[in-house]
Amino acid sequence: MNLLPFGKLPAHKPRAFVPQSVDLGDWPQIAPLFEQLELRASKCRSAADLERWLLDWGELNAALDEESSRRYIAMTCHTDSAEAEKAYLHFVENVEPQLKPRQFALEKIYVTHPQRERLPQSRFQVFDRDVKNHVELFRPENVPLETEEARLCQQYQKLSGSLTVNFRGEEKTLVQMTRYLEEPDRALRQEAWELVAKRRLQEADKFDDIFDREIKLRQQIAENAGFGNYRDYAFRRLGRFDYTPDDCEKFHDAVEREVIPVVRELQARRREQLKLEKLRPWDLAVDPLNRPPLKPFAQVGEMVSRTQKIFDSLDGGLAGGFQQMRDLKLLDLDNRKGKAPGGYQSTLAESRLPFIFMNAIGLQRDVETILHEAGHAFHALATRDEDLYAYRSAPIEFCEVASMSMELLGNEFIEEFYSAA
């Protein structure tokens, strides 16, 4: 049973090292490939040999990355599927714990390899920095803790995806309930908001338990790596070399000082426009002039076709990339029971193709989300011809530059969703 919206995808380039027949969910079949790489490293007598070794290592990493992504996508698309859950947890529990120490061994080999200094520094200095960082942070005792952390994240997705309410005789997902928060009828908004809040509160102990266990695990992971708290550890793990937690605190202070007063002014104006004595949570999404909510599309297919027209108007290359995703069914966009909340773009690393996941229900926010995630997707497509696996991804901060920019660029043609009247 294929739980993915897409089928088998061709590798962007034919494999040169990883056998086509290998089962990437079976560690006994994967382990010999790491053994081959370890043995080959000592035979790299030139920079060219070492670069070929890096490309083969990257090919293996990409194949494993895609296997992991496929299982994660299936699990989040179908949190109510025992089959998807089993496949995902099998990889988390039986492959990743074996994989991490073998990756660490190869990283240590690389940073001490005599040919490393002969590689062009202009190309490899960022790669060198990141690998050294991984080596410094790795602790064998953190591997089982990270496995448990992944299990907890899956439990959160499963719990979140299962929540529904009975609203006026119909079962609704919590995402579907958000559309009522834009309705001019204040009593309706309040009824919808309170129903969702009560449903979440019914599961509060379960969510709190997951959260508390995550905090305890992450603190221990940080301490094992020599950090006093998880925040400082996470900055290093995420490769944040150009700014510090202190820089973030200064930024937070600036937001509090400069932005929050403006937010308060806007909220006060909203309260006056709505003619209310006090704003409540169900008053924050409705149009402040009490106009009917925007309805950019009725069906997800309509959202896709209109988004395509935006990219057609914007740029031929972007339009072609989005059409390719449509043709290959690399989109799962509609909200439904059993689907994890939120939205994301995941790159299928061996195919070098992006996949977009979201929960559309017909709101303006959905238009913003598809443009945003498409920005991530175009970023991924722009790296397809980069053969060094590590360079086909970027730190999250820079990824968000692409996605937020696409929101702004796409909004230039937002009339594809709305009439000029």
Side-chain angles (χ1 to χ4, degrees):
M1 179 179 178
N2 180 28
L3 295 172
L4 293 166
F6 53 90
K8 183 174 176 55
L9 300 169
H12 182 61
K13 289 190 174 182
R15 291 178 180 177
F17 172 63
V18 179
Q20 288 291 340
S21 60
V22 68
D23 181 350
L24 294 167
D26 182 25
W27 178 251
Q29 295 187 50
I30 301 167
L33 300 176
F34 281 90
E35 292 164 6
Q36 290 179 42
L37 288 169
E38 289 183 29
L39 290 172
R40 270 182 51 197
S42 62
K43 299 175 183 178
C44 294
R45 307 297 185 191
S46 66
D49 290 343
L50 184 59
E51 188 163 0
R52 179 67 260 170
W53 182 82
L54 287 174
L55 293 177
D56 288 347
W57 180 17
E59 181 186 297
L60 175 57
N61 286 340
L64 289 164
D65 189 341
E66 180 156 330
E67 182 69 22
S68 175
S69 294
R70 291 175 74 94
R71 293 175 185 235
Y72 179 81
I73 289 168
M75 184 272 292
T76 54
C77 287
H78 305 279
T79 65
D80 51 358
S81 167
E83 180 185 352
E85 178 180 5
K86 181 180 178 181
Y88 174 72
L89 290 177
H90 172 82
F91 197 88
V92 166
E93 296 170 353
N94 298 291
V95 177
E96 288 185 350
Q98 302 288 341
L99 181 61
K100 289 175 181 178
R102 300 306 288 267
Q103 294 281 29
F104 174 63
L106 293 180
E107 289 172 337
K108 283 200 303 181
I109 287 171
Y110 173 74
V111 298
T112 60
H113 200 283
Q115 297 300 324
R116 183 176 64 84
E117 296 295 335
R118 298 185 180 182
L119 292 171
Q121 284 303 294
S122 60
R123 172 155 174 77
F124 286 95
Q125 60 181 345
V126 173
F127 179 76
D128 280 2
R129 180 192 66 185
D130 291 345
V131 173
K132 288 176 183 176
N133 188 48
H134 294 164
V135 170
E136 290 171 5
L137 291 180
F138 181 79
R139 299 293 186 277
E141 59 269 32
N142 277 344
V143 173
L145 300 182
E146 291 165 353
T147 300
E148 179 60 22
E149 182 184 20
R151 282 197 204 99
L152 289 173
C153 290
Q154 186 274 331
Q155 289 176 27
Y156 171 83
Q157 298 276 26
K158 183 177 181 179
L159 179 58
S160 298
S162 71
L163 300 187
T164 62
V165 295
N166 188 289
F167 182 68
R168 299 187 173 182
E170 293 185 28
E171 185 180 31
K172 301 279 189 182
T173 67
L174 302 196
V175 173
Q176 289 166 354
M177 292 299 294
T178 60
R179 61 161 53 100
Y180 298 108
L181 299 180
E182 296 187 0
E183 292 293 333
D185 184 340
R186 194 182 192 215
L188 173 63
R189 297 199 307 269
Q190 181 175 352
E191 179 186 356
W193 188 91
E194 289 181 343
L195 185 62
V196 168
K198 288 175 182 176
R199 182 66 186 94
R200 288 199 173 107
L201 286 172
Q202 288 174 15
E203 309 296 341
D205 289 344
K206 295 177 183 177
F207 281 119
D208 286 348
D209 179 61
I210 292 172
F211 184 71
D212 291 343
R213 290 161 66 189
E214 284 272 22
I215 289 177
K216 185 176 179 180
L217 274 175
R218 290 177 173 179
Q219 180 63 26
Q220 188 60 58
I221 288 169
E223 290 177 2
N224 289 346
F227 291 81
N229 59 74
Y230 186 76
R231 181 201 65 179
D232 292 347
Y233 166 79
F235 260 72
R236 279 288 304 278
R237 182 178 61 80
L238 293 169
R240 291 175 173 168
F241 300 104
D242 301 313
Y243 66 101
T244 67
D246 185 57
D247 292 325
C248 289
E249 289 181 1
K250 291 176 181 176
F251 177 72
H252 296 166
D253 290 342
V255 170
E256 181 180 14
R257 185 174 61 253
E258 304 294 338
V259 178
I260 294 303
V262 177
V263 172
R264 298 298 185 215
E265 289 178 12
L266 292 173
Q267 289 177 335
R269 185 183 307 168
R270 167 179 284 271
R271 180 183 59 76
E272 292 171 0
Q273 289 172 322
L274 290 170
K275 298 179 173 57
L276 299 173
E277 292 185 10
K278 181 182 291 187
L279 282 180
R280 303 295 292 167
W282 48 85
D283 298 321
L284 301 180
V286 67
D287 180 81
L289 299 180
N290 253 345
R291 292 172 294 191
L294 294 172
K295 294 183 178 178
F297 60 91
Q299 302 294 328
V300 167
E302 184 183 353
M303 179 186 74
V304 172
S305 62
R306 292 186 176 190
T307 302
Q308 180 70 60
K309 290 180 180 179
I310 287 179
F311 296 136
D312 290 343
S313 300
L314 190 58
D315 179 82
L318 301 181
F322 193 72
Q323 185 63 57
Q324 181 182 33
M325 296 180 69
R326 296 175 67 187
D327 293 342
L328 293 174
K329 302 187 184 331
L330 293 167
L331 306 167
D332 191 314
L333 309 179
D334 60 309
N335 172 252
R336 59 182 178 270
K337 183 180 178 180
K339 189 175 183 181
Y344 64 78
Q345 181 268 320
S346 178
T347 300
L348 298 151
E350 184 173 27
S351 309
R352 307 189 193 181
L353 289 167
F355 169 81
I356 294 178
F357 170 104
M358 58 179 285
N359 282 275
I361 58 170
L363 302 180
Q364 166 60 21
R365 180 59 186 157
D366 297 328
V367 177
E368 297 163 9
T369 299
I370 188 62
L371 292 173
H372 180 102
E373 300 302 341
H376 287 306
F378 297 145
H379 199 185
L381 288 171
T383 70
R384 290 195 85 196
D385 292 329
E386 171 55 66
D387 287 331
L388 192 61
Y389 163 77
Y391 282 178
R392 293 202 294 273
S393 60
I396 186 64
E397 300 90 330
F398 194 76
C399 291
E400 294 307 317
V401 172
S403 57
M404 296 304 298
S405 297
M406 189 51 57
E407 287 190 47
L408 296 173
L409 292 169
N411 277 332
E412 291 293 320
F413 302 95
I414 200 67
E415 62 268 17
E416 292 294 345
F417 282 93
Y418 301 105
S419 64

